[in-house]
Amino acid sequence: MDEQSLWIAAEDCPADDFEKYHVFLQHEERVINALSTHGPVLIKGGRGSGKSALMIEASRRLQHADSNTFGVYLSLRYLPLLRSRGQEYEKLLCELLTRELHRTLSLYKLSSSLFPSITDVSSLQHELRALAEKINKRIILMFDDIAHIGREASLEEFFGIFRTISNNLVSCKASIYPGVTRFGIRFDVYNDATVFDLSRDERAPGYAEFFDKVMAARFPDLHSRYARTRSLGSRETAGFLGRTVVGNMRGFVIACGKLRNVNGAGLPALEAVLKELASDYYWPLLEELEPKLGIYQPLVETSRQLADVLFRHAAAQNRSTTIIVHRDLVQKLAKVFEILEYAGFLSKREASRAMRSGGRGPRFSLNLANLLEFTYPSRLTRDVFTDWLNPNPEQPSDIHVSSGIIDIDQPAPLVDGELLVLELPIEKLQKSNVYPYGLTDARIAQLKKSGFETIGQLADATDAQLKEVTSIGDQWLERIRSVVGQAVWM
């Protein structure tokens, strides 16, 4: 597999190739339009759902000389922000935004002197308005990666700033995770912003068409191979893979990469990919998440147990691809469901739906890779393929409190839950199923020789410190930052 197929994060795709490898249809264009116009907007989606791609695309479209807007994209994948609170958080955020504003001014061929370096929110509010008036453009700020699944503390500082600096000349946008983001008491999410849910529902029109176009853009050889196949076809195959990963873009790219490496173009090839996704992608994701969960590290084993129960039950219920869980059970195991949704085992389709067995609960769509794993026999036949490609949403399986099917206790959070990922040795960043574009053995050896032993040390290092390492220039610096970012955030 070549390097291009391994870009699983939009931030890692070179600017010159971004347009070539990204596809935006009606649903995406609606979100991009909202990100490009006035008013505060939040885009909500799970890990790898495409939040960053949409924000980057919106900022790209704004950044041209004739535009009456000034678009700024800023990723907050910055370790000190995770460790700070109050005024320290505000100071760091102001410094990061100042740096990105200076960089964006240069793209517009404007002087960085138009915006001074500031370290407090009141000055930020004043100088942003002043900048908008000087350049005669409305400023749109797009904040990405503001939340972290292991950071349980409220993002009150961020949303306080978000609300404070928003006005008729400055519009703020931000990406959030479902269930993970805590807004604080000053920010009323549905009154202070418009929220767009990026979850791609398999029942929506154009679902298969979208994934077919993504496959054609990202994997043209794979698309051509299946376009010539009589039994399946590229659209059916792409739609099925999209359904397999519950509409998750990152999962879809990884699934296509695996399918490209399988000989043939039929159901046996798809079956092999689904089994490989279950064993080498989804279950390892929980292992990858464990050191990132802070106080919730003990919930990883609970998440495995719950996933086993949910998929085993759905597989036994006529291979049902969706499941309704009574709201009392979901509330009891809220963080565990959140972890499984974050890792792509399931995706919420409805917040509340009546159950045949009485009561109400959210309806979840299950990924097909793990569902096949629990189906007997574990074969992707034509009947199974057809049923799963066009599921009947009116026939989900139910799990009621009284059934006793989910008999799992949620462990108490740790008292002191630091992000253990920062203490892991840098050997963990080696190329693997978890980090498909990780670091080479030679690069790790060079870093260790220069005194970098842990992921935390790499994350804390300045650009200058990393460039002192033999053979590390701008390209490798960007790659190291990307891999560390994946290790800590993704």
Side-chain angles (χ1 to χ4, degrees), residues 423-456:
E423 300 174 14
L424 295 178
I426 63 173
E427 284 84 354
K428 288 289 186 180
L429 301 178
Q430 197 171 27
K431 281 188 177 183
S432 64
N433 290 331
V434 173
Y435 302 117
Y437 51 73
L439 303 180
T440 62
D441 291 342
R443 192 63 60 191
I444 289 173
Q446 288 172 329
L447 289 167
K448 286 177 68 69
K449 188 176 179 181
S450 296
F452 295 101
E453 298 288 341
T454 67
I455 293 175

Side-chain angles (χ1 to χ4, degrees), residues 353-364:
R353 179 164 166 174
M355 305 175 67
R356 292 191 301 272
S357 51
R360 302 188 69 87
R363 183 176 72 88
F364 297 97

Side-chain angles (χ1 to χ4, degrees), residues 30 32 39 99 104 107 110 148-149 158-159 171-172 176 180 185-186 192 209 289 314 330 340 363 369 384 463:
R30 179 167 166 259
I32 291 170
R99 190 185 312 160
T104 308
L107 293 177
L110 296 169
H148 188 285
I149 192 169
F158 173 81
F159 283 105
S171 296
C172 292
I176 60 175
V180 178
I185 59 175
R186 291 182 56 204
D192 289 332
E209 178 191 3
L289 274 177
V330 175
L340 290 180
R363 183 176 72 88
V384 172
D463 290 355

Side-chain angles (χ1 to χ4, degrees), residues 54 79 85 111 133 141 165 286 336 347 354 398 455 462 483:
L54 291 170
L79 187 57
R85 300 289 184 272
S111 172
E133 292 172 346
L141 304 176
I165 64 179
L286 290 180
V336 183
S347 181
D398 287 2
I455 293 175
T462 65
V483 176

